[in-house]
Amino acid sequence: MKVIAINGSPRKNWNTAIMLQSALEGAKADGAETELINLYDYEYKGCVSCLSCKRKGSQANGLCAYKDALTTILEKCKEADALILGAPIYFGDVTGMMRSFLERFLFPSLCYQVDPATGALKTLAAKKPIGFIYTMNAPNEWGETAYGPMCYQIEGSLAAIYGCTVKSLKVYNTCQVKNYADYDMDYFDAEAKHKYRDEHFEEDKQKAFELGKNILN
Ligand SMILES: Cc1cc2nc3c(=O)[nH]c(=O)nc-3n(C[C@H](O)[C@H](O)[C@H](O)COP(=O)(O)O)c2cc1C
């Protein structure tokens, strides 16, 4: 079984990446083969609305017809047994690279046709377990209220198209930098940030590990 993690952060060694690596360790502990893909290594666009995937007689079969560096990643995602997506919150949403990935990952499998059996829109995607790890500056108290609806929207689309309940984890109050003294960031209480990280980061990593360990179950 293959589990792929998709890192929607530009940073390969900080909050989101660390959580995704831990999730993949969990998947490995469950016997899966794993791979981590860093979206920022690739040049690609979001959906260009060519609608090739919706044309009558289309051979796209749930894969985005627009060809660029994301094509091989989307093919790998189709083959994978499970996916764990991860992104920091940028201005109240997941990063632009993650959004562009999601457009290309979701739209080709969404049919604008109602399935008479369920009354819902048809999907071309095979069922697949999906996890989503969000990391953010926001503390728990308002992270959930401020970003909950956005996460709910993303997870709803993933669930509807990939026939799963998304296993999600929100990692709050992250340290955006290692050393706040090097930056003009007085808004943040550096000491409190580091204290929170010391007290919660390992616990969050463990939750990510468990998410990965259970993703196929
Ligand atoms: C351009 C930019 C915008 C951000 N916007 C938000 C935001 O709206 N809300 C928030 O809680 N954190 C915001 N952050 C902080 C990141 O979400 C947070 O530090 C995250 O854990 C970084 O993940 P990384 O270490 O994997 O890059 C922003 C960071 C950047 C660089």
Side-chain angles (χ1 to χ4, degrees):
M1 300 293 254
K2 174 108 185 236
V3 178
I4 294 182
I6 304 280
N7 181 16
S9 168
R11 303 197 284 190
K12 294 180 184 173
N13 296 304
W14 205 226
N15 300 292
T16 313
I18 292 172
M19 291 299 150
L20 287 173
Q21 282 154 10
S22 185
L24 288 185
E25 278 169 30
K28 236 183 246 171
D30 190 39
E33 185 196 334
T34 63
E35 180 177 356
L36 175 66
I37 293 174
N38 292 295
L39 289 179
Y40 280 76
D41 283 347
Y42 300 87
E43 297 284 334
Y44 62 91
K45 292 185 196 305
C47 174
V48 297
S49 200
C50 66
L51 296 177
S52 295
C53 56
K54 310 278 176 275
R55 276 197 183 271
K56 289 184 190 301
S58 166
Q59 301 296 307
N61 199 21
L63 263 179
C64 181
Y66 185 82
K67 302 293 177 216
D68 63 10
L70 199 63
T71 304
T72 49
I73 297 172
L74 293 170
E75 284 166 359
K76 281 185 179 189
C77 289
K78 188 171 182 172
E79 292 306 311
D81 296 291
L83 296 175
I84 303 172
L85 314 180
I89 302 298
Y90 280 8
F91 295 102
D93 209 325
V94 294
T95 54
M97 295 293 269
M98 176 52 79
R99 278 228 69 95
S100 292
F101 165 83
L102 286 171
E103 290 169 9
R104 302 269 303 278
F105 178 59
L106 290 168
F107 191 62
S109 287
L110 170 76
C111 297
Y112 286 142
Q113 285 172 318
V114 174
D115 182 343
T118 62
L121 290 179
K122 282 189 198 165
T123 175
L124 291 174
K127 274 186 186 237
K128 197 181 295 286
I130 297 179
F132 210 123
I133 300 177
Y134 312 86
T135 76
M136 63 195 82
N137 265 337
N140 316 32
E141 306 87 66
W142 62 271
E144 183 54 46
T145 42
Y147 308 136
M150 177 274 296
C151 301
Y152 181 80
Q153 174 71 42
I154 290 177
E155 289 164 31
S157 300
L158 288 164
I161 294 171
Y162 283 89
C164 61
T165 302
V166 176
K167 292 188 166 84
S168 81
L169 171 65
K170 293 189 186 75
V171 178
Y172 301 105
N173 206 0
T174 57
C175 279
Q176 199 164 354
V177 292
K178 277 185 191 146
N179 190 358
Y180 280 85
D182 291 341
Y183 299 86
D184 289 326
M185 287 186 165
D186 295 353
Y187 173 74
F188 298 110
D189 179 340
E191 201 181 318
K193 277 274 191 193
H194 282 291
K195 184 170 183 292
Y196 185 91
R197 187 179 177 95
D198 289 346
E199 288 172 357
H200 295 90
F201 201 71
E202 283 307 313
E203 192 186 316
D204 285 329
K205 262 176 76 180
Q206 186 58 32
K207 286 183 191 163
F209 181 92
E210 295 298 332
L211 186 154
K213 193 159 183 252
N214 293 317
I215 195 73
L216 289 162
N217 308 314

